[in-house]
């Protein structure tokens, strides 16, 4: 059975349409997802009922993005993913799965294998049909990945560069010229007023990330090292749904050998512990730098996100002031930029991941364009830089 080709419709948007291949064993899901994407201006170049059909179709339909269901007959998503990436290096694959503990584990494993993102899918055909948020999340994710693809005339490196030595942090945000291959995509940064050089080590480490974040966060923490991380609490906002964040925290703890879990409301913040914002809830802070306490809330989404990096950053600016050390890693959108202003104004230090090593340079790019980044570094350099700033060797 060959992958079925979807009819094309003219696009009102400028430039070529994003080509999407949809692989799901449910004919209802394939039909709905294809229709929604076509109505959103994408080009669904084919559909497939299992991973083998999708794999065989790659060379013929040449998709930019593959939506790949985890659970399919004959060849499931976990088996098809590495074969797809071997066949088409640089292909952007978004995994789809229902919100279960098992599927969260599998999705995170797929991200480690090279999938670019994941999309939680409602239970059953009825859930897919009636849950409006699934359609909204699907369309937004594909559109943003597509926009990033259009803005990348060069191929993303297959591997990150070798890990450099520790990088010192400057006294003020750096003005970064636009990279030569993309002079039109990075605006001149807004200057931020100089601030005194901090003479004491930070009291907390804050990390914000989204698309591509699970892999990046793990590499950063590993680059800092457990011995140095024991000196500060680590608070992480990774844009993820419920269930996924708990599994993500467990994976981090196992990787770095430190306590790591979803944050709990009213929990005291302690050095050497990793706190991950629970999916679907904002994570803020109250108290003082010496006695900070986690504050969770179910307030409205900020930047279309809950949890939101901006919420954590704003509260941290109030609680920790100049004793904050923060980094924005790969991710879609601009979450974290407004909160970064509060941290920068309070005297904290802010790093951003560079474009070349970001899966999507939305969040860090927004930070850089606003002029709030003290240093813009490739992913392998961020861990050593943070280790030096915290006071490690």
């Amino acid at each position: 059975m060959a992958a079925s080709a979807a009819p094309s419709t003219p696009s009102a948007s400028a430039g070529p349409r994003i080509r999407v291949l949809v692989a799901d064993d449910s004919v209802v899901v394939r039909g709905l997802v294809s229709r929604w994407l076509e109505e959103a201006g994408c080009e669904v170049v084919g559909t497939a009922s299992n991973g083998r059909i999708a794999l065989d179709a790659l060379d013929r339909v040449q998709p930019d993005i593959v939506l790949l269901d985890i659970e399919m007959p004959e060849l499931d998503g976990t088996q098809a993913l590495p074969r797809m990436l071997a066949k088409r290096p640089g292909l952007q694959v978004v995994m789809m799965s229902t919100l279960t503990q098992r599927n969260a584990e599998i999705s995170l494993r797929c991200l480690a294998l090279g999938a670019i993102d994941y999309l939680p899918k409602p239970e059953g055909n009825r859930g897919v049909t009636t849950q409006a948020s699934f359609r909204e999340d699907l369309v937004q994710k594909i559109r943003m990945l597509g926009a990033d693809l259009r803005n990348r005339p060069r191929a993303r490196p297959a591997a990150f560069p070798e890990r450099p030595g520790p990088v010192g942090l400057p006294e003020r945000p750096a003005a970064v010229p636009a990279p030569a291959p993309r002079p039109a995509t990075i605006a001149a940064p807004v200057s931020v007023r100089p601030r005194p050089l901090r003479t004491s080590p930070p009291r907390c480490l804050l990390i914000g990330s989204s698309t591509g974040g699970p892999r990046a966060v793990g590499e950063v923490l590993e680059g800092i090292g457990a011995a140095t991380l024991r000196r500060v609490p680590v608070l992480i906002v990774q844009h993820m749904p419920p269930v996924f964040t708990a599994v993500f925290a467990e994976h981090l703890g196992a990787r770095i050998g430190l306590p790591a879990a979803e944050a709990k409301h009213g929990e005291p913040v302690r050095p050497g512990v990793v706190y991950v914002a629970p999916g679907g809830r904002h994570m803020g802070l109250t108290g003082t730098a010496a006695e900070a306490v986690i504050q969770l809330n179910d307030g409205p989404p900020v930047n279309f996100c809950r949890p939101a990096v901006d919420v954590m950053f704003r509260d941290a600016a109030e609680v920790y002031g100049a004793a904050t050390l923060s980094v924005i890693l790969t991710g879609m959108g601009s979450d974290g930029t407004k909160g970064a202003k509060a941290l920068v104004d309070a005297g904290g230090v802010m790093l951003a991941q560079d474009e070349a090593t970001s899966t999507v340079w939305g969040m860090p790019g927004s930070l850089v364009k606003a002029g709030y980044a003290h240093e813009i570094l490739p992913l392998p350099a961020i861990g050593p830089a943070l280790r030096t700033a915290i006071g490690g060797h």
Side-chain angles (χ1 to χ4, degrees):
M1 177 180 175
S4 59
S8 298
T9 56
S11 171
S13 59
R17 294 197 291 165
I18 295 302
R19 300 168 61 84
V20 184
L21 172 63
V22 180
D24 194 290
D25 61 339
S26 166
V27 65
V28 173
V29 172
R30 294 197 304 272
L32 285 173
V33 167
S34 297
R35 190 183 79 201
W36 294 338
L37 291 176
E38 287 282 348
E39 289 173 354
C42 300
E43 181 181 3
V44 178
V45 293
T47 63
S49 59
N50 63 52
R52 190 173 305 283
I53 296 171
L55 184 64
D56 292 342
L58 286 184
D59 289 338
R60 186 176 77 259
V61 301
Q62 295 288 311
D64 300 309
I65 298 171
V66 175
L67 280 169
L68 187 63
D69 189 29
I70 285 177
E71 297 176 322
M72 293 184 291
E74 193 169 342
L75 191 70
D76 66 23
T78 61
Q79 296 167 317
L81 173 65
R83 301 184 195 186
M84 286 183 168
L85 296 178
K87 193 172 187 178
R88 289 277 306 281
L91 179 67
Q92 302 211 342
V93 181
V94 177
M95 307 304 297
M96 294 194 295
S97 71
T98 52
L99 277 176
T100 66
Q101 177 87 10
R102 175 179 176 274
N103 284 341
E105 291 273 5
I106 294 172
S107 295
L108 286 174
R109 194 157 64 241
C110 288
L111 292 176
L113 290 173
I116 193 170
D117 209 347
Y118 48 85
L119 182 68
K121 188 172 65 170
E123 289 276 3
N125 292 337
R126 179 176 174 80
V128 172
T129 304
T130 60
Q131 190 169 317
S133 61
F134 173 64
R135 177 177 181 172
E136 293 167 2
D137 291 345
L138 165 72
V139 170
Q140 181 188 44
K141 194 175 293 289
I142 298 303
R143 276 178 169 168
M144 295 185 79
L145 287 173
D148 186 71
L149 277 172
R150 289 192 186 99
N151 289 334
R152 287 178 182 266
R154 65 193 186 286
R156 187 179 291 110
F160 294 125
E162 293 184 5
R163 187 183 300 275
V167 180
L169 299 181
E171 191 172 344
R172 68 188 69 181
V176 180
R182 293 180 59 186
T185 61
I186 298 181
V190 179
S191 61
V192 178
R193 63 179 180 276
R195 291 172 287 114
L197 183 66
R198 187 174 59 213
T199 57
S200 59
R203 301 288 294 272
C204 69
L205 172 61
L206 311 173
I207 301 175
S209 56
S210 184
T211 308
R215 176 187 174 189
V217 171
E219 181 168 340
V220 166
L221 295 183
E222 204 168 49
I224 299 171
T228 302
L229 287 171
R230 289 190 180 96
R231 302 182 183 191
V232 293
V234 181
L235 289 89
I236 300 170
V237 169
Q238 162 68 43
H239 295 160
M240 272 183 169
V243 182
F244 278 65
T245 44
V247 175
F248 175 53
E250 291 174 9
H251 282 214
L252 289 178
R255 182 168 182 175
I256 62 176
L258 289 175
E262 282 187 327
K264 297 178 177 62
H265 183 72
E267 182 178 16
V269 176
R270 298 286 180 256
V273 180
V274 177
Y275 304 89
V276 176
R281 305 198 73 189
H282 290 307
M283 180 174 72
L285 293 162
T286 189
T288 65
E291 297 181 350
V293 175
I294 298 287
Q295 291 286 299
L296 301 180
N297 72 76
D298 301 317
V302 176
N303 305 309
F304 308 102
C305 302
R306 189 174 61 206
V309 181
D310 273 338
V311 172
M312 176 178 68
F313 279 2
R314 287 167 180 163
D315 281 5
E318 293 286 334
V319 172
Y320 287 101
T324 58
L325 176 63
S326 308
V327 59
I328 290 285
L329 300 175
T330 174
M332 295 184 193
S334 61
D335 188 27
T337 298
K338 292 179 180 177
K341 181 181 187 303
L343 286 174
V344 165
D345 287 346
V349 170
M350 179 70 60
L351 274 67
Q353 184 176 348
D354 74 353
E355 183 175 13
T357 62
S358 292
T359 302
V360 177
W361 206 56
M363 288 165 55
S366 175
L367 185 78
V368 170
K369 294 170 190 178
Y372 300 142
H374 288 79
E375 191 79 82
I376 299 89
L377 299 172
L379 183 60
I382 293 174
L386 294 172
R387 184 176 66 238
T388 299
I390 294 168
H393 301 288

